[in-house]
Amino acid sequence: MKFFRPRGRRSDAGQGSGPSMTGAIALYKAGRYAEAEAEARAVAGAGPRDDTYATLALGLTANATGAQGRHAEALAAYDAALPAFGRVFGAHHWQILKLRSERAHHLTALGRHDECEAEAEAVARIAARGAGPEMQVVAAAARNQLVFALNAQERHLEAEALARETLATLPGPVPDRMSLVLTLGLARSLNGQARHEEALTEAESAGKLRHRLPVEVSRPETGAVELAVATALLGLHRSSEARHQATAAHDACLASFGPEHRRTVEARTLLDRIDGV
């Protein structure tokens, strides 16, 4: 989730020691998701229905809920937030498109891959017609969700093509989280095609990108690099190395996100595969 400074009807400052969006965002960036959820819920409940901060707090509540692996609850939270975002920002504002893109992620986490695909395509199409850097970010994020949905449906060639195409559109050489997640999606697509040497190269490249990013930016991808590396190593019959990486991925995801998070579950499943070889 990329945060933007809200332009609200009231200031987030001057709220004393009470809940604030600034505090909720800081907690989220620090990986303190349960506390971020509680803080965001308090902000959402304290403001009027058309208040910008209260509306954005609904979105952050959904993000923090999903980060704890409660994907069904997160989806319900997004569904509750969407009408408020529509009232405050309008149907085609980048804020509501961003929310829809984030919601699509949880559709795939719940196995609703075709719905994720349709929503990500719609958001990417609308955002591509918009102007400004925020719309560009939203369009790339929606395409990343689409890459994930295609991979989940084992349409790996399509996922590879879209990941490469979107990576080529990113501006400049400066690494950002979008480069990281798209490179991981590319590695996943290559692993899905049993092109494990190429997948390992891309996963290692993603690891280098992660190390160049601030911790608060890369934290949502905790365990993802190790998981991609482990999958490639297993495909190359390097089971011992694969198990080491898969264990690291599982332990990191368990500590950061909890046992029900889709990445924690994926790492546990991969460990079971390795142990069954």
Side-chain angles (χ1 to χ4, degrees):
M1 177 183 184
K2 183 169 183 177
F3 296 101
F4 299 89
R5 182 179 298 278
R7 300 185 179 111
R9 293 182 175 84
R10 64 183 173 89
S11 172
D12 193 44
Q15 295 185 35
S17 59
S20 70
M21 270 299 286
T22 301
I25 290 171
L27 288 166
Y28 186 93
K29 287 183 174 181
R32 296 162 61 181
Y33 299 122
E35 295 170 78
E37 178 191 352
E39 185 92 345
R41 285 188 188 279
V43 175
R49 69 195 296 266
D50 63 344
D51 178 83
T52 302
Y53 276 92
T55 300
L56 290 172
L58 291 172
L60 182 54
T61 299
N63 274 274
T65 302
Q68 296 170 74
R70 290 154 44 209
H71 299 295
E73 290 179 61
L75 187 62
Y78 282 112
D79 289 339
L82 280 169
F85 271 69
R87 287 193 303 270
V88 171
F89 298 112
H92 290 169
H93 191 276
W94 64 264
Q95 287 277 17
I96 196 168
L97 293 175
K98 172 174 169 285
L99 191 77
R100 288 175 60 185
S101 175
E102 291 162 351
R103 176 184 177 275
H105 173 79
H106 295 281
L107 289 169
T108 282
L110 293 167
R112 294 161 62 176
H113 309 309
D114 55 342
E115 294 176 66
C116 176
E117 178 184 356
E119 180 70 340
E121 282 183 333
V123 172
R125 185 167 56 250
I126 296 168
R129 295 198 297 263
E134 295 93 351
M135 281 295 198
Q136 293 174 4
V137 171
V138 171
R143 293 188 189 105
N144 177 63
Q145 303 296 358
L146 182 53
V147 168
F148 201 90
L150 291 170
N151 273 323
Q153 296 173 79
E154 299 186 359
R155 292 159 58 187
H156 301 299
L157 277 171
E158 294 173 71
E160 178 191 356
L162 182 59
R164 293 189 188 280
E165 175 187 318
T166 308
L167 278 165
T169 68
L170 297 182
V174 179
D176 59 12
R177 182 169 172 246
M178 195 58 60
S179 301
L180 173 60
V181 295
L182 284 164
T183 302
L184 287 166
L186 177 57
R188 184 181 289 267
S189 74
L190 294 167
N191 271 322
Q193 297 172 66
R195 292 160 58 188
H196 300 300
E197 288 281 6
E198 295 172 75
L200 183 59
T201 297
E202 294 297 340
E204 289 173 342
S205 175
K208 293 174 183 176
L209 280 171
R210 181 183 62 184
H211 288 306
R212 293 167 63 191
L213 292 170
V215 173
E216 65 270 16
V217 174
S218 64
R219 182 174 280 113
E221 306 318 311
T222 293
V225 170
E226 292 81 2
L227 189 56
V229 169
T231 304
L233 289 171
L234 181 60
L236 295 169
H237 309 291
R238 295 161 60 178
S239 299
S240 178
E241 295 169 83
R243 195 181 200 292
H244 175 76
Q245 291 290 329
T247 299
H250 178 266
D251 291 350
C253 291
L254 186 63
S256 293
F257 309 128
E260 304 304 318
H261 192 275
R262 57 102 182 155
R263 196 177 300 141
T264 310
V265 172
E266 185 177 357
R268 179 71 259 171
T269 300
L270 182 59
L271 278 170
D272 290 343
R273 276 183 58 202
I274 293 169
D275 290 342
V277 171

